[in-house]
Amino acid sequence: MRWILLGPPGAGKGTQAALLTKKFNLPHIATGDLLRQAVREQTPLGLEAKSYIDKGELVPDNLVTNLVKDKLSNIDMEKGFILDGFPRNISQAESLDIFLDNNHKPIDAVIYLATEEQTIIQRLSGRRVCQSCEANFHIKNVPPKKEGICDYCGAKLIQRDDDKPQTIKNRIKIYNQKTKDLIEYYNKKNILKQVSGDLESDKVLALLQNFLKTGR
Ligand code: AP5
């Protein structure tokens, strides 16, 4: 199972990737998480990426592509993986294709979580993340047991800086300008599977598991 999860901000890519990778014991490579980690650790990559993330812009392709290639080179690609948030434009997709073709491990499926704009805004504005373990919550949809506290590690929940209204708007704009082109790119390769990202999380997961089993 070598899957890409594709979709607008807030479509539920991270949520579904976490559920699938736990269930199937696979590596979850999420470029947003990796970049935020680099920002926290103030690595050279993090220092360069921060201004792009804060504005909701894409971090330069060479930085992100090298990061992903490095992660993929350190796992057993035969066993599978889930890419979440990468690729984000045609240039990243082409670089990924070349890398995976050279390793004879092509992508099996690209899951496109098609999601309405009103869902995106509701989800991102209510999202809260654990500042320690990065677990994801939502004030209404997935509330923590104790308000403001992570269920898993007890640390404080915070709002991501890029989940503020102005940045959400820009992230949606960038998605429409650059990332949406990937739907056609993967459709032409016959590996695109569209699922509604507006559904409840367990329904999306059930559809993905059914797709895995039946190919439909
Ligand atoms: P990234 O972290 O990847 O942000 P994103 O793509 O905008 O995606 P999100 O994490 O916001 O949403 P998601 O689809 O994962 O939804 P989630 O499951 O969290 O990237 C951040 C930034 O890093 C980018 O803007 C860019 O600057 C940079 N970057 C990253 N990758 C890059 C790349 N390849 N190239 C260049 N730059 C890159 O869910 C959202 C909320 O909804 C949560 O609260 C969740 O609990 C809730 N929820 C999820 N599913 C459901 C459901 N089915 N029903 C109800 N609630 C739900």
Side-chain angles (χ1 to χ4, degrees):
M1 178 179 178
R2 290 186 289 272
W3 281 11
I4 291 171
L5 296 190
L6 174 67
K13 303 180 296 294
T15 300
Q16 294 303 322
L19 295 169
L20 289 165
T21 49
K22 192 170 168 210
K23 195 162 187 65
F24 297 106
N25 194 22
L26 291 174
H28 172 189
I29 300 175
T31 42
D33 291 349
L34 293 170
L35 291 168
R36 280 185 293 278
Q37 186 185 355
V39 171
R40 278 198 303 277
E41 292 171 358
Q42 301 193 337
T43 65
L45 167 67
L47 293 175
E48 191 164 351
K50 187 174 181 334
S51 62
Y52 295 95
I53 298 174
D54 287 348
K55 284 185 275 188
E57 305 281 337
L58 294 186
V59 173
D61 290 343
N62 63 325
L63 298 180
V64 187
T65 304
N66 287 337
L67 183 67
V68 173
K69 283 187 198 168
D70 184 51
K71 288 285 160 191
L72 288 172
S73 302
N74 284 298
I75 60 166
D76 180 357
M77 288 193 272
E78 184 62 38
K79 288 191 182 147
F81 55 81
I82 295 190
L83 289 176
D84 156 13
F86 182 91
R88 219 65 169 213
N89 57 26
I90 300 285
S91 158
Q92 292 181 11
E94 287 172 347
S95 301
L96 178 67
D97 281 349
I98 293 170
F99 177 82
L100 294 177
D101 285 349
N102 287 342
N103 285 280
H104 311 289
K105 299 287 180 296
I107 293 293
D108 309 317
V110 177
I111 309 297
Y112 166 44
L113 296 171
T115 313
E116 298 288 341
E117 189 161 323
Q118 65 198 49
T119 308
I120 297 173
I121 292 168
Q122 189 270 359
R123 288 194 188 155
L124 295 186
S125 51
R127 170 166 56 190
R128 298 293 180 269
V129 291
C130 174
Q131 63 177 7
S132 173
C133 73
E134 290 236 26
N136 231 325
F137 296 87
H138 188 281
I139 50 174
K140 287 214 176 92
N141 310 354
V142 193
K145 290 185 188 117
K146 191 169 168 205
E147 198 185 324
I149 302 293
C150 176
D151 288 357
Y152 307 104
C153 72
K156 203 172 145 204
L157 300 182
I158 52 166
Q159 185 170 35
R160 262 170 55 174
D161 282 340
D162 63 348
D163 280 347
K164 307 275 159 65
Q166 199 50 40
T167 319
I168 292 176
K169 256 195 200 161
N170 200 38
R171 286 163 64 201
I172 296 172
K173 190 175 107 197
I174 297 289
Y175 170 79
N176 285 324
Q177 283 174 351
K178 304 193 169 153
T179 311
K180 245 183 157 176
D181 294 346
L182 293 174
I183 299 167
E184 192 46 29
Y185 180 86
Y186 288 118
N187 199 21
K188 277 193 188 143
K189 290 179 183 282
N190 272 324
I191 53 171
L192 191 83
K193 165 72 180 168
Q194 179 167 333
V195 172
S196 169
D198 293 312
L199 298 171
E200 286 166 22
S201 192
D202 52 352
K203 292 199 176 125
V204 177
L205 182 65
L207 289 170
L208 295 181
Q209 287 184 266
N210 186 55
F211 171 66
L212 190 62
K213 227 197 258 168
T214 66
R216 281 181 285 128

